[in-house]
Amino acid sequence: MDSKELTQKIIQVSDIYANRFNIARDKDWYFYKFIEEVGEMTKAYNDYCGRGRNAPTKESEQQFRDELADVFAHLILFAKAHDIDFEDVIKEKWFQYLEK
């Protein structure tokens, strides 16, 4: 799957979520939702690394993986809300160093 197809699928899932829960999204919503997901990932990472209340488990590993996916998807959505194409900005910012 290429980045454009991945982005489209992420948008479709987000649209289903917004419709199901009657959420009006604007540029700020995408930002705050991304930050919320970073917080959830942080907690899941702490649990996964044994910094939480309990020893790490298979469930804590899966929770971390799930939250990492949420962060990635919501970062894509936040960028899309600002008409930013991730592929383009990564090429501009990161891949310039490969050409030198």
Side-chain angles (χ1 to χ4, degrees), residues 3 5-6 10 21 31 35 37 39 42 44 56-57 59 65 68 75 77 89 93 99:
S3 65
E5 184 180 357
L6 179 67
I10 289 169
F21 295 104
F31 176 71
I35 294 302
E37 294 299 338
T42 301
T57 64
E59 290 79 21
R65 293 168 57 92
L68 188 61
L75 184 58
L77 291 166
V89 297
K93 174 68 177 171
E99 298 169 6

Side-chain angles (χ1 to χ4, degrees), residues 5-91:
E5 184 180 357
L6 179 67
T7 298
Q8 263 321 107
K9 287 180 182 275
I10 289 169
I11 290 168
Q12 287 174 333
V13 171
S14 180
D15 289 347
I16 291 167
Y17 176 86
N19 288 331
R20 180 178 298 156
F21 295 104
N22 198 29
I23 296 171
R25 299 168 295 172
D26 60 13
K27 290 180 181 185
D28 287 344
W29 183 89
Y30 288 104
F31 176 71
Y32 293 122
K33 185 65 175 173
F34 168 71
I35 294 302
E36 175 187 326
E37 294 299 338
V38 169
E40 291 174 6
M41 184 190 68
T42 301
K43 182 191 179 318
Y45 183 68
N46 281 336
D47 292 345
Y48 169 68
C49 292
R51 292 185 189 99
R53 294 181 191 165
N54 302 308
T57 64
K58 274 292 188 197
E59 290 79 21
S60 62
E61 179 181 358
Q62 187 58 52
Q63 186 66 33
F64 170 58
R65 293 168 57 92
D66 290 350
E67 295 303 333
L68 188 61
D70 287 349
V71 166
F72 178 79
H74 281 283
L75 184 58
I76 296 290
L77 291 166
F78 177 57
K80 190 71 173 159
H82 289 275
D83 298 319
I84 295 170
D85 182 296
F86 252 103
E87 194 171 321
D88 291 342
V89 297
I90 294 295
K91 285 177 185 175

